[in-house]
Amino acid sequence: MSLQSALRDRFRPWYLLDVAAFLFGAGGSIWRTVSGFDELDALTTFTAVTAVVYGLLAVVVLRFTVGNLWSYAVEYANAGGRWSDLPFLVPVGGGLAVVAVTYAVTESLGAAAWAGFWSFAVIAGVVAVAVSLAAGYREASP
C-alpha cells in the first residue's frame, strides 16, 4: 500500500477541526500570556506546556460537544423524526440563543459555549419528557 493510499484511508476531514481547535486553545493561552510578538522570547517552558494542555483541552471539548450534538441528531432521526421537526429544533435554537446572550453579556466565548451546551442539554431533556408525555396521552385516548 502506498503512503498516499494509507493517508487517504486514515485521514478524515474532521481532523482539520481538531487541528483548528488545538490551535485555538494553544493560541489563546499564548495570547493571554504575552501582549505582542516582541514578547514571544519571554515564553517559558511552563507557558509552552500550558499552551499545549489548553490546546488538547480544546480538542476534547470540541469532540465532546460535536459528538453529543451529532448523537442527538442521529438518534432523533433513527426514532423516526426529521431534523426539521420543532422538537428537534427547539433545543438547538435554545442553545444557540443562550450562546448569543451569554457572549453578549460576558464577552467570554468559553462561558458562552459552556452555557449554550448545558442549556441545550436541559432543554432537550425537557422537550423529550414533554413529547413522551404527549405521545403517551395520545396513545391512551380512544
Side-chain angles (χ1 to χ4, degrees):
M1 175 184 291
S2 69
L3 178 62
Q4 185 178 13
S5 297
L7 285 176
R8 187 179 19 204
D9 291 342
R10 294 179 187 251
F11 181 76
R12 304 283 185 255
W14 288 103
Y15 295 160
L16 295 175
L17 278 177
D18 291 341
V19 171
F22 179 82
L23 292 175
F24 179 77
S29 176
I30 292 172
W31 181 69
R32 286 188 301 272
T33 304
V34 298
S35 62
F37 286 115
D38 56 338
E39 292 185 17
L40 283 179
D41 57 348
L43 287 178
T44 63
T45 304
F46 178 74
T47 50
V49 169
T50 304
V52 169
V53 169
Y54 272 104
L56 293 174
L57 181 63
V59 171
V60 168
V61 168
L62 173 81
R63 287 278 181 123
F64 180 74
T65 304
V66 170
N68 281 324
L69 293 174
W70 184 252
S71 295
Y72 174 74
V74 168
E75 288 302 319
Y76 188 82
N78 287 343
R82 289 187 306 268
W83 292 357
S84 60
D85 292 345
L86 192 59
F88 176 77
L89 294 175
V90 167
V92 174
L96 291 174
V98 168
V99 166
V101 169
T102 305
Y103 185 73
V105 171
T106 65
E107 295 182 3
S108 169
L109 187 59
W114 186 255
F117 175 77
W118 285 110
S119 63
F120 163 80
V122 169
I123 294 169
V126 169
V127 167
V129 168
V131 167
S132 179
L133 287 174
Y137 284 124
R138 219 181 350 235
E139 290 176 8
S141 52

